[in-house]
Amino acid sequence: MPVKNRFAEMHNEITGWRRHLHAHPELMYDVHETAAFVVERLTEFGVDEITPGIGKTGVVALIKGKTDTKGRVIGMRADMDALPIEEATGVEYASTVPGKMHACGHDGHTAMLLGAAKYLAETRNFDGTVALIFQPAEEGGAGGLAMCQDGMMDRWNIQEVYGLHNSPGIPVGEFAICPGALLASSDEFKITVTGKGGHAAEPALAIDTTLVAAQIVVSLQTIVARNVDPLKRVVLTVGTFNTDSAASNVIAHEVVMEGTLRTLDSEYRSICEDRIKRVATDTASAFGAVAEVEWTPGYPVTLNTDAETAFAADAARAVSAQVNDNTDPIMPSEDFSYMLEERPGAYIFLGNGDTQMCHHPEYNFDDEAIPFGSAWFVELAERRMPLS
């Protein structure tokens, strides 16, 4: 197909961009060099408008089609930030920054959207405007929310928004998507249990916070088992458990545990928050201790809208022979969800082949996926805003 053939021609160039970004990872909102690289490429392409500094360090750029008879604007998003991980891939273009690496493929996402931008700026075979969204701080910083709070959607009249993420385990070039919930919400909690410290040989004179906290951990698992419809998906995990004493013959005065709640249903997100707080405080009270719960709301559920999911799947079929349009949702979270709360749209997975999973120190984006991702963005623009 013409679009895919063009990206085969551009493959080496886009790969070079991707590997440059891979070698120079930046974290959260501190993506100044990455954003500058994006702006430099977009300027070379001759896009119509470039605005940096959206959501602190995000970039929004516009490409206008040959015509604009209906005032249509669709947004296409790529994330730019890396992770605080020491790279262990051994590739020649490995991270040059100790303790930082692109372990989730955001270098690939940015490069693919840049490739699409170059093509669209050259051809402009659409009726309307494409808004290119290069976002910081996906990895825990809610950069998507920050860009929305900066008024991005209204400022550029973005009417639909689309994004993609590479997916290890799916063959390169294949796509997967589903309507409705695709990725889970993610909230964090911290439970501090306070009792009465003492000597391990005299437990009757103390209030054993380790025992109380252990009982809370076990009891929390009954929430999913007994308060959630078995056909719904909820994951509750206590990830840390720390006493204020390191001695084996001491009963700790305080225990602090932290965990995460992930759901695909906003109703259960609220129900489980309430149950976690009640189980923790009431269990502690029953043992004579006190539990305080700190709740940190995270990313909401990533909800694909029906019509836009169908559009995204159709665009994928134009560039790939394998498209699963009813894939199972997964429990990681994604702050593209904030953009989907403001506008209809869809998020899609693109196969990364048989690689290490995302967030692993040996993970690496497969450059063979580049033509498929760039072509998918282009197909979306040309199919959603066709020339008359």
Side-chain angles (χ1 to χ4, degrees), residues 223-234:
I223 296 173
V224 175
R226 289 296 177 264
N227 297 121
V228 175
D229 184 330
L231 299 180
K232 301 291 184 179
R233 297 192 188 188
V234 176

Side-chain angles (χ1 to χ4, degrees), residues 13-313:
E13 182 180 22
I14 302 173
T15 296
W17 302 337
R18 202 283 292 185
R19 294 185 178 186
H20 169 83
L21 294 172
H22 188 91
H24 302 88
E26 297 177 292
L27 305 181
M28 298 286 280
Y29 289 98
D30 187 21
V31 291
H32 301 284
E33 290 185 13
T34 304
F37 180 87
V38 166
V39 169
E40 186 176 355
R41 299 287 81 71
L42 294 172
T43 302
E44 292 173 358
F45 305 158
V47 304
D48 297 286
E49 180 182 323
I50 304 172
T51 306
I54 305 302
K56 298 182 181 178
T57 49
V59 178
V60 176
L62 303 183
I63 302 175
K64 298 179 181 179
K66 289 181 178 178
T67 59
D68 186 9
T69 63
K70 301 179 178 66
R72 297 288 306 284
V73 183
I74 68 168
M76 299 177 177
R77 174 268 205 172
D79 35 19
M80 299 187 290
D81 57 321
L83 283 156
I85 294 175
E86 191 70 36
E87 182 162 353
T89 62
V91 296
E92 61 182 11
Y93 51 85
S95 172
T96 59
V97 186
K100 300 179 185 179
M101 77 167 288
H102 272 291
C104 203
H106 296 184
D107 50 344
H109 304 164
T110 297
M112 288 187 291
L113 187 54
L114 283 174
K118 181 173 182 177
Y119 180 94
L120 290 168
E122 290 174 353
T123 59
R124 301 179 184 264
N125 290 322
F126 56 93
D127 177 66
T129 301
V130 171
L132 306 163
I133 303 166
F134 294 91
Q135 180 206 304
E138 189 281 326
E139 298 290 358
L145 176 61
M147 294 189 81
C148 288
Q149 289 177 333
D150 260 3
M152 174 180 68
M153 297 299 184
D154 290 336
R155 179 173 176 178
W156 287 285
N157 190 32
I158 297 171
Q159 296 148 20
E160 300 172 17
V161 64
Y162 298 89
L164 63 72
H165 201 292
N166 75 94
S167 185
I170 297 177
V172 172
E174 296 188 10
F175 290 85
I177 194 172
C178 70
L182 181 68
L183 294 114
S185 62
S186 178
D187 301 318
E188 296 182 353
F189 58 86
K190 177 180 178 180
I191 301 174
T192 302
V193 180
T194 305
K196 182 180 180 182
H199 197 293
E202 299 177 312
L205 300 179
I207 297 175
D208 191 343
T209 51
T210 301
L211 176 62
V212 176
Q215 189 67 44
I216 290 173
V217 172
V218 173
S219 297
L220 287 176
Q221 298 310 310
T222 66
I223 296 173
V224 175
R226 289 296 177 264
N227 297 121
V228 175
D229 184 330
L231 299 180
K232 301 291 184 179
R233 297 192 188 188
V234 176
V235 176
L236 194 167
T237 298
V238 176
T240 69
F241 189 105
N242 296 292
T243 66
D244 65 359
S245 170
S248 62
N249 63 344
V250 170
I251 291 174
H253 180 73
E254 183 179 271
V255 174
V256 178
M257 67 186 87
E258 296 180 76
T260 180
L261 173 73
R262 296 170 184 267
T263 78
L264 293 172
D265 188 310
S266 58
E267 178 186 1
Y268 279 112
R269 188 182 187 191
S270 177
I271 290 172
C272 289
E273 176 185 352
D274 177 68
R275 292 294 298 145
I276 288 169
K277 292 176 178 178
R278 290 181 60 189
V279 165
T281 56
D282 291 356
T283 300
S285 178
F287 285 91
V290 174
E292 295 183 356
V293 182
E294 298 176 37
W295 192 265
T296 304
Y299 298 166
V301 179
T302 301
L303 289 169
N304 285 341
T305 49
D306 291 350
E308 287 68 27
T309 299
F311 300 149

